[in-house]
Amino acid sequence: MVVKKMSTLDLSGSKKRKRNNNERVLFKFKNFGEQGFPIEFIGCNFDQNVKLLLEFAQQENGSIWSFQLEVHRHPPMHVFLFVVEEQVELSLNPHCKHCQYIGWGNNLMCNKKYHFLLPSKDIIGACVEGGGGQKYKYKTDVNNIIGGEIIKSKLNLIEIEGHMMHGVFHSNGFGHLLCVNGSLETPTSSDLPGHSIMDFWDRLCIGLRARKVSLRDISTKKGMDLRLLNTLAYGEPWFGRWGYKFGRGSFGVTQETYQSAINALQNMPLALLAHHHHHIGIININEILIVLSRYQMLSGHSLVTLCDAFHFMLELKSRIPKENNNLTSCYPGLLVDTTCRWSPKRVEMAIRVVVEALKRVESRWVSRQEVRDAARAYIGDTGLLDFVLKSLGNHIVGKYLVRRCLNPVTKVLEYCLEDISKAFPKQDQGFRVNDSKGKQQYKITLVQLMKDIYFLYNNILKEHKGLMSNYTGVFATIPTASRIILDTKYFLKEYREVSEPDTRIEPDKSKIYCAIMLAIKDGFGVEEKVMTPFECFLMRKDVTFDELKIEVEKAFGDIYLGLRNFTTRSINNLISPISGIELVFNVMKPGSKIVLEGVIMSNNDDININNGGIFEGIKNNNIIMDCICGTKDEDGERMICCDICEVWQHTRCVNIPNHEAIPDIFLCNKCEQDILQFPSLP
């Protein structure tokens, strides 16, 4: 957002200095979150680093802080980063559905959440007053939400939609990226492009020492699901550029089936589309072949698979200059290997002979041996002929595309000639031009490129009810693989498991890593489990075990809601019992991991460990999920409960389309069959 500059003071060169509460400090967006900008992130854990960062923020009220960030100086463009602290025990929804969906429902509930928000210019305009010499502030005619305590309010920064970025962290370092809304990268844009927002988020996660971060990718563009489009072209979703990988699949999709679907879709050969287009059941197949031929010509090299075609088209999109909105390319056809022992003239002559032989068979597929025999009447050098046949497959020669494909039935290599003169419409003279040397060039516009991408997506990948079942043979895998990729929406990135070694440790202190173990009751009895990730503690070298226990109990009580009254009974992984007054580092090496076993001393049923009150996910033993797709836990998809057995299943899995309302009465297939077997009444 463009706002008037309130201060030219930049603390990036004065890393140790804290800001005055009455001054608005300007930080640079491009390096905010890196080490030293604005702070040295020296905390042992995430919660400590957040507190260090907020010392440099402008405090708007007791639980909201803000940073003003300069994106660029000329023309002036600033954005605001808000950090909102939410007290979980005051929240109406203390459990985290995002943890539940990604598979972290068994994580202990934290005391706090930290929301990091980059509001869009529209939200800033609605929420904020400022400018000139006035102090940047909230409107005073509303009661703001403070720390999750809900007062009568017209405005809630956390719940309002439309932010450029909204990410939330639990105080143990687990987080969720809830939204990224980037703008087109244009000189006049007052919001940020998506890749700049992701770079910023990634710097924050690394600097604050986040543990794991999840996201739900449901982004679309012009009716296309981008996670399917990008995964086909690049083997990963758009967020994969920043290290986000498979987190959890919906409808029972596993990582193995997800990867298999990607491989099957990416390796689908384009030649088979032309070879068997009368039998595969794809609508608009002739138009599809024309569009593909257009990009075969533009590429100047062989596009063999679906992955090759979509990858080239998406890369082409990024190369089209935004000023004139088109791209002109000149490709001479077959590029001969410079190490070839035949002269370019002899190779060109052999190519013409092969093309003429293919012309005579009138677009039929013929075996390699038939082509070779026909060309042998004109070319005596069999070595040259074999070289050309090997190199010529799926290349452009004049107005023809020489296709090569292995016949799936006979396993014999076959060739076919396709006239691609229709690939660039004659009525659009912008497609074909000649340069000053007379060489033919081909021009593509961004509008035409996006139209072609959508056409291929809609006719090859998109599921059309009643039509996808017509796919036969190897192409029957297209709708299945596409559906598996679309059913994978949750991705995560692991930033760290424990703190990295730090050379700036004070000489009289050492690190030790601690975790908490509790006894959990389930249907099979009592099981002891390590309930927390390891946290780093920087302790004096003469610290005793009794002092360490006190420090650990306090630290974990500050992080986790259910561990406020945790009491240590023993240290689990020591070889022999120890005395509380014994020095820790006489028994353990610096950097060691220890597990403290204990109990929660509380009579509060709301946080009782055995009723699920202290977990991020909602634990309800009365709810049974057992869908036919294999799902046993809630995955964020719409579900329905059988009115007899009370087992939950996905509506899609029981053939209730998403656009239809859930029926008032529903019987699962098993209960329905059981009823049908009841004896009839006399």
Side-chain angles (χ1 to χ4, degrees):
M1 178 181 178
V2 180
V3 297
K4 291 186 178 181
K5 191 173 180 181
M6 300 179 186
S7 172
T8 57
L9 180 61
D10 187 350
L11 291 187
S12 59
S14 155
K15 303 174 185 176
K16 297 294 184 182
R17 177 184 168 187
K18 296 182 183 179
R19 54 166 299 285
N20 185 299
N21 285 334
N22 296 320
E23 65 177 333
R24 166 68 65 181
V25 182
L26 193 62
F27 300 98
K28 292 188 181 299
F29 177 83
K30 67 178 181 181
N31 58 14
F32 190 88
E34 292 180 358
Q35 192 63 261
F37 301 95
I39 64 165
E40 298 284 349
F41 293 96
I42 57 175
C44 287
N45 58 43
F46 171 83
D47 198 46
Q48 292 175 6
N49 282 313
V50 171
K51 291 173 181 176
L52 289 172
L53 177 64
L54 294 182
E55 290 179 356
F56 283 78
Q58 177 83 23
Q59 189 163 13
E60 304 293 344
N61 62 33
S63 61
I64 301 178
W65 295 262
S66 68
F67 295 88
Q68 186 180 6
L69 308 175
E70 181 185 66
V71 180
H72 45 69
R73 190 167 295 179
H74 302 293
M77 177 180 171
H78 301 160
V79 295
F80 289 93
L81 170 67
F82 288 91
V83 183
V84 181
E85 181 185 274
E86 179 185 0
Q87 297 286 345
V88 171
E89 63 181 338
L90 299 178
S91 174
L92 289 180
N93 300 300
H95 297 280
C96 179
K97 65 179 181 180
H98 308 292
C99 283
Q100 181 84 42
Y101 298 158
I102 193 63
W104 301 341
N106 289 325
N107 285 9
L108 292 181
M109 186 185 297
C110 293
N111 285 311
K112 298 177 183 177
K113 297 177 185 175
Y114 294 99
H115 296 262
F116 285 73
L117 306 111
L118 288 175
S120 66
K121 62 181 185 298
D122 295 331
I123 293 177
I124 286 286
C127 302
V128 176
E129 294 177 347
Q134 298 179 0
K135 181 180 180 293
Y136 174 87
K137 62 183 180 180
Y138 282 98
K139 287 182 177 179
T140 56
D141 60 341
V142 294
N143 294 318
N144 295 308
I145 289 181
I146 300 177
E149 182 179 359
I150 297 187
I151 308 171
K152 291 181 181 179
S153 171
K154 301 176 185 175
L155 178 64
N156 187 336
L157 261 180
I158 296 175
E159 293 182 358
I160 198 169
E161 296 182 353
H163 295 292
M164 287 190 289
M165 185 199 81
H166 183 182
V168 59
F169 292 104
H170 302 281
S171 51
N172 62 354
F174 286 80
H176 314 282
L177 180 57
L178 303 184
C179 78
V180 172
N181 293 310
S183 68
L184 293 176
E185 194 171 11
T186 62
T188 59
S189 175
S190 56
D191 286 336
L192 296 165
H195 66 84
S196 295
I197 297 173
M198 282 303 301
D199 289 341
F200 175 78
W201 171 254
D202 205 45
R203 290 197 302 272
L204 277 178
C205 293
I206 294 171
L208 294 172
R209 297 192 179 183
R211 294 180 185 276
K212 298 179 182 180
V213 175
S214 77
L215 59 85
R216 182 172 181 248
D217 184 4
I218 53 173
S219 51
T220 61
K221 185 173 184 179
K222 298 184 183 299
M224 298 182 288
D225 288 284
L226 295 184
R227 67 185 178 282
L228 175 56
L229 191 63
N230 282 284
T231 300
L232 172 56
Y234 300 104
E236 61 184 11
W238 182 74
F239 294 99
R241 303 177 191 180
W242 291 271
Y244 285 86
K245 301 184 183 300
F246 178 93
R248 188 185 186 191
S250 302
F251 301 102
V253 173
T254 65
Q255 187 169 2
E256 291 73 23
T257 56
Y258 174 65
Q259 192 58 52
S260 297
I262 294 175
N263 295 338
L265 203 58
Q266 283 192 311
N267 295 323
M268 189 65 61
L270 295 179
L272 287 181
L273 287 172
H275 200 299
H276 302 282
H277 68 276
H278 296 298
H279 311 289
I280 59 179
I282 299 180
I283 57 175
N284 298 324
I285 184 63
N286 291 327
E287 292 85 348
I288 290 173
L289 294 176
I290 289 174
V291 171
L292 291 173
S293 298
R294 180 180 301 158
Y295 293 94
Q296 284 277 13
M297 185 176 293
L298 279 169
S299 70
H301 63 274
S302 177
L303 301 179
V304 180
T305 64
L306 270 182
C307 174
D308 293 339
F310 278 91
H311 183 273
F312 175 72
M313 294 173 79
L314 292 185
E315 288 295 305
L316 196 63
K317 175 177 173 289
S318 65
R319 286 163 42 200
I320 295 180
K322 291 182 173 59
E323 305 83 59
N324 54 24
N325 203 32
N326 64 61
L327 180 73
T328 303
S329 302
C330 177
Y331 300 103
L334 178 63
L335 302 179
V336 180
D337 189 347
T338 55
T339 62
C340 174
R341 59 190 177 96
W342 294 279
S343 67
K345 186 175 181 180
R346 292 191 65 193
V347 171
E348 187 177 350
M349 179 193 69
I351 291 172
R352 285 203 303 268
V353 170
V354 171
V355 170
E356 289 299 322
L358 290 171
K359 280 184 185 180
R360 290 193 290 271
V361 299
E362 299 179 348
S363 302
R364 288 189 300 107
W365 285 88
V366 294
S367 68
R368 179 185 181 279
Q369 190 60 47
E370 290 180 75
V371 179
R372 191 175 187 273
D373 291 343
R376 279 279 284 120
Y378 303 93
I379 301 174
D381 189 339
T382 56
L384 171 61
L385 187 56
D386 289 339
F387 170 79
V388 169
L389 289 173
K390 178 181 177 182
S391 306
L392 194 57
N394 301 313
H395 275 80
I396 306 292
V397 181
K399 67 173 185 176
Y400 296 101
L401 171 64
V402 181
R403 292 194 178 277
R404 181 178 64 187
C405 177
L406 185 69
N407 189 308
V409 178
T410 64
K411 307 301 180 183
V412 172
L413 203 60
E414 295 182 348
Y415 289 80
C416 178
L417 199 65
E418 180 182 345
D419 186 347
I420 59 172
S421 58
K422 297 179 181 178
F424 291 88
K426 292 180 180 179
Q427 64 270 22
D428 189 347
Q429 296 302 318
F431 277 108
R432 187 185 293 115
V433 296
N434 291 329
D435 65 7
S436 58
K437 297 181 180 180
K439 286 186 177 181
Q440 201 170 56
Q441 294 181 312
Y442 301 98
K443 183 184 292 186
I444 193 77
T445 64
L446 183 59
V447 172
Q448 182 65 41
L449 175 60
M450 291 305 300
K451 181 180 177 181
D452 290 341
I453 291 174
Y454 177 77
F455 176 80
L456 293 180
Y457 178 94
N458 190 53
N459 286 280
I460 297 178
L461 302 177
K462 190 173 182 179
E463 188 173 0
H464 297 275
K465 186 176 181 181
L467 293 175
M468 303 301 271
S469 58
N470 294 332
Y471 282 30
T472 59
V474 67
F475 296 99
T477 62
I478 292 179
T480 302
S482 297
R483 175 46 52 195
I484 290 172
I485 293 172
L486 288 174
D487 286 341
T488 305
K489 305 171 186 175
Y490 295 97
F491 300 89
L492 66 85
K493 179 175 180 178
E494 296 191 27
Y495 283 89
R496 67 179 186 96
E497 190 58 38
V498 295
S499 297
E500 299 82 359
D502 198 327
T503 57
R504 294 163 296 184
I505 297 177
E506 299 173 36
D508 61 335
K509 292 185 177 181
S510 294
K511 285 184 177 181
I512 193 162
Y513 298 94
C514 302
I516 300 297
M517 175 182 283
L518 296 173
I520 305 296
K521 288 183 181 179
D522 55 26
F524 303 98
V526 179
E527 181 183 2
E528 292 183 339
K529 290 184 178 179
V530 177
M531 301 302 300
T532 68
F534 284 91
E535 295 289 349
C536 175
F537 292 86
L538 190 60
M539 308 298 295
R540 302 186 329 270
K541 291 188 175 179
D542 61 348
V543 68
T544 65
F545 277 98
D546 282 343
E547 292 171 329
L548 176 64
K549 290 177 184 178
I550 294 172
E551 184 68 24
V552 170
E553 290 170 3
K554 179 180 182 302
F556 278 98
D558 289 341
I559 296 174
Y560 296 99
L561 182 65
L563 297 182
R564 289 180 177 179
N565 297 309
F566 173 79
T567 300
T568 304
R569 288 185 172 176
S570 63
I571 296 179
N572 183 267
N573 56 337
L574 291 180
I575 298 175
S576 58
I578 49 92
S579 167
I581 60 173
E582 195 163 350
L583 299 182
V584 172
F585 294 109
N586 283 349
V587 179
M588 314 287 294
K589 292 181 180 180
S592 297
K593 296 180 180 180
I594 62 174
V595 177
L596 283 72
E597 183 183 356
V599 294
I600 298 174
M601 307 298 294
S602 174
N603 295 321
N604 185 353
D605 289 336
D606 290 335
I607 61 169
N608 189 291
I609 190 169
N610 295 314
N611 69 12
I614 67 169
F615 296 102
E616 292 291 359
I618 299 175
K619 302 289 182 181
N620 190 336
N621 295 328
N622 296 322
I623 295 179
I624 302 174
M625 297 181 188
D626 188 12
C627 188
I628 56 176
C629 68
T631 299
K632 303 292 184 183
D633 298 299
E634 189 176 0
D635 57 5
E637 303 297 336
R638 194 173 73 151
M639 305 191 88
I640 190 170
C641 179
C642 175
D643 288 298
I644 294 180
C645 65
E646 297 185 343
V647 172
W648 290 79
Q649 300 181 74
H650 294 118
T651 54
R652 193 182 89 183
C653 294
V654 294
N655 299 317
I656 301 175
N658 286 333
H659 64 270
E660 290 186 7
I662 294 178
D664 295 330
I665 298 176
F666 170 74
L667 301 183
C668 69
N669 186 61
K670 181 178 180 299
C671 292
E672 198 173 53
Q673 293 300 318
D674 290 344
I675 290 176
L676 292 175
Q677 293 177 11
F678 287 168
S680 57
L681 294 175

